[in-house]
Structure formats: structure tokens, C-alpha cells
Amino acid sequence: MQSPPKPIHKLRMIPWLFVAGVYCSLIAWQGANAALQSVIAEFSIVVTMAFGSFVAGGTALGGGAVAFPVMTKLLAIDPVTAKVFSLAIQSFGMSAAALTIIFTGIPYYRQVVLIAAPAALVGVLLSLTFIADQLPRLVVKGVFSVLLICFALTLLWRIYCRVQHVCSQTDIHVSTFTVALVAVIGGVASGLVGSGADIAIFALLIIACNANIQKATATSVIIMAITSVVASIANVWFFNSLSSEIQSYLLAAIPVVVVGAPLGAYVCAKVKSGQLITFFLLLIALEVSFTVYELMTA
């Protein structure tokens, strides 16, 4: 006799309810036809974020790590616009991924989130208020490339540890001060380029704590989701940064990222870390090469 199916835990439905709520809101606001037209009109942004959202949900690189270089280098969009868009779109995509992580039982370091999230918020708000408008365009692009280099070095460190047969730690002990300081610095970077708090915390956990790479990734996703939501609210209510151009990009990309990011969170929690490391090292090498070329020809 076949056993009855296991009941679905109600909390596991929350990520799906979030996605459904986003879709219903977009259709109610725009209408189905207008929503489809916005996707067609900004198809290059949609394709960019289809890949970016998968990256955001499943790795310590936020969606801005794809959106920012593609928009500034390939689509010739102003870095300020790219940064505001990156934070805004991550508010949807990485929030969907964070809900998936929390309510489907993907493990993460809860203590680190409780320490790092408030500190990252301090950093990103300081950056948006006092720093972001003072830096030249190429400096902002350089900051982003430095962040990616730090991420690459973190991955290379993990490879070295595995070669030396140093096993990662599932349970870690962290310094509250160190986590908070690194999160503030990452928050400042997030205010400049739309990403950074996730990369900074991920690097700290892997290098200083020898943390489990999947748990460190899930932790960084949650922190960046919180950072993006608060930064985007500040951009809308206090800095009036959400231009009509950015709104057009958002309306086209939101339906993609709220599905792509949770999918990335689920898939990347299952695949081998070595495959992810190789892929992202190649991606980072390409982006940094573009930045170096631009700086040399400026």
C-alpha cells in the first residue's frame, strides 16, 4: 500500500507566496500587456538579470556583480544608474533568495547575520549620504573590480585549503567586533557599486573562520538582501534616485529575478563547490580585464 504524501510545511510556501505576490502586484499595476511590453522593451536588461539573479541567489556575488559591469561596460549606462538599479533589483531577487534559504532549511550562520546586517546598514547609509557622490566614475568602477579580486582571492584560498586537506568548519566562532567592522566596510562598498557587504562577509568567513562555503554563501545572501532593501528605500524616499529609466529597467527585470534568485539558491546549494569556484574565477578575470583596459585607455 502506498504511503500518503508528506504534508508540505506551511513556512515553505512563503517564498512562493512572495513570488506570486510580486507577479500579481506587477500585473495589477501595469496590466498583463504592458508588463509583457516592458520586458520586450528592455530585453537586454532582462537577459542580464536572468543570469545575475541566479548568481545573486546562489553565490556570495550579488546580482549587482553581474548587473554593474554589464550595464557600465557593455550597455554604456552611467555607473550611478547601474548602482541604484543593482540595489533596487537585489531588493526583490535577493529577498526572494533569502526567504528561500530561511524557510526551506538551507543552513546559514544566523549569529553572523544578526551581527553583520545592522553594521552593513550603517555602512551603506553612510556611503549613500556622504561618499557616493564625491567619487569619479572610474574610481567607482575600480572599487568594484577590487571587490571582485578580493572574492577571487577568497576562492583561491579555499582551493589551497582543500589541496592541503584542511576541512572547513560547520560550526564557527566569530569576533563580534571583526564581523561588524568588515560589514560596515562592505556596506560602504555597497553604497558605491551596489554590492560589497556580501563579498566582504563571505571573504571573512572563508579566510578567517574556515567556514563551510555553502553556509557562508547563504549567510552573505541574507545580509545583502537586507542591505539592498534598506538602501533602496533610502534611495527612493531620501535621495530621490529612482529615475524613470531605472523604473523601466526594474519593471522589466523584477519578474525574472524573483524566480532566478531562489532557483540559484537551491541549485548552488546542491552542486559541487569546485565547479562554482572555477566558473566565477573565469567571470572575475573577464571583468577585471575590462576595467584594467578602461583605466589604461582613459
Side-chain angles (χ1 to χ4, degrees):
M1 181 177 178
Q2 188 176 8
S3 58
K6 296 181 179 179
I8 299 175
H9 198 288
K10 292 182 179 180
L11 292 179
R12 289 179 176 268
M13 297 301 296
I14 290 179
W16 295 107
L17 292 175
F18 175 80
V19 173
V22 169
Y23 270 82
C24 290
S25 299
L26 286 174
I27 292 174
W29 185 17
Q30 296 177 276
N33 185 58
L36 179 60
Q37 290 300 319
S38 67
V39 171
I40 296 172
E42 303 293 351
F43 189 69
S44 59
I45 297 294
V46 172
V47 173
T48 298
M49 292 317 304
F51 177 61
S53 62
F54 189 87
V55 170
T59 75
L61 289 173
V66 174
F68 188 85
V70 171
M71 293 176 77
T72 56
K73 293 177 171 62
L74 298 183
L75 304 180
I77 294 172
D78 181 72
V80 174
T81 298
K83 179 253 303 192
V84 174
F85 170 76
S86 296
L87 286 170
I89 200 64
Q90 285 172 169
S91 299
F92 292 91
M94 296 191 81
S95 292
L99 291 173
T100 301
I101 290 167
I102 294 169
F103 292 110
T104 61
I106 295 175
Y108 64 96
Y109 294 110
R110 184 171 180 271
Q111 179 187 5
V112 175
V113 172
L114 294 176
I115 298 169
L121 296 182
V122 172
V124 74
L125 293 176
L126 286 174
S127 181
L128 291 173
T129 305
F130 301 109
I131 303 174
D133 293 336
Q134 309 302 319
L135 296 181
R137 179 180 61 88
L138 286 179
V139 172
V140 173
K141 288 186 177 182
V143 168
F144 184 79
S145 293
V146 169
L147 281 173
L148 290 187
I149 291 172
C150 291
F151 184 71
L153 292 175
T154 305
L155 296 181
L156 291 172
W157 174 260
R158 174 43 57 94
I159 292 173
Y160 171 79
C161 290
R162 294 187 68 175
V163 170
Q164 299 297 318
H165 303 291
V166 178
C167 297
S168 61
Q169 303 295 318
T170 301
D171 298 314
I172 60 172
H173 300 282
V174 296
S175 164
T176 300
F177 175 78
T178 302
V179 171
L181 177 61
V182 170
V184 169
I185 295 171
V188 170
S190 299
L192 295 176
V193 296
S195 186
D198 46 356
I199 296 174
I201 291 299
F202 178 80
L204 175 69
L205 292 177
I206 295 301
I207 295 175
C209 305
N210 193 31
N212 175 270
I213 193 168
Q214 279 82 12
K215 290 184 71 173
T217 297
T219 303
S220 70
V221 168
I222 296 172
I223 292 168
M224 196 62 223
I226 297 170
T227 304
S228 297
V229 169
V230 173
S232 295
I233 292 173
N235 277 330
V236 172
W237 292 104
F238 298 105
F239 304 111
N240 197 27
S241 302
L242 207 67
S243 65
S244 58
E245 179 185 16
I246 296 173
Q247 292 179 42
S248 177
Y249 296 158
L250 286 173
L251 291 174
I254 286 172
V256 175
V257 302
V258 293
V259 175
L263 180 62
Y266 179 79
V267 171
C268 292
K270 303 295 182 182
V271 302
K272 294 180 180 179
S273 59
Q275 296 171 337
L276 291 176
I277 289 173
T278 301
F279 173 74
F280 285 110
L281 286 176
L282 292 173
L283 184 68
I284 290 167
L286 181 63
E287 197 284 332
V288 172
S289 298
F290 273 115
T291 299
V292 170
Y293 173 77
E294 188 171 2
L295 290 172
M296 292 177 64
T297 56

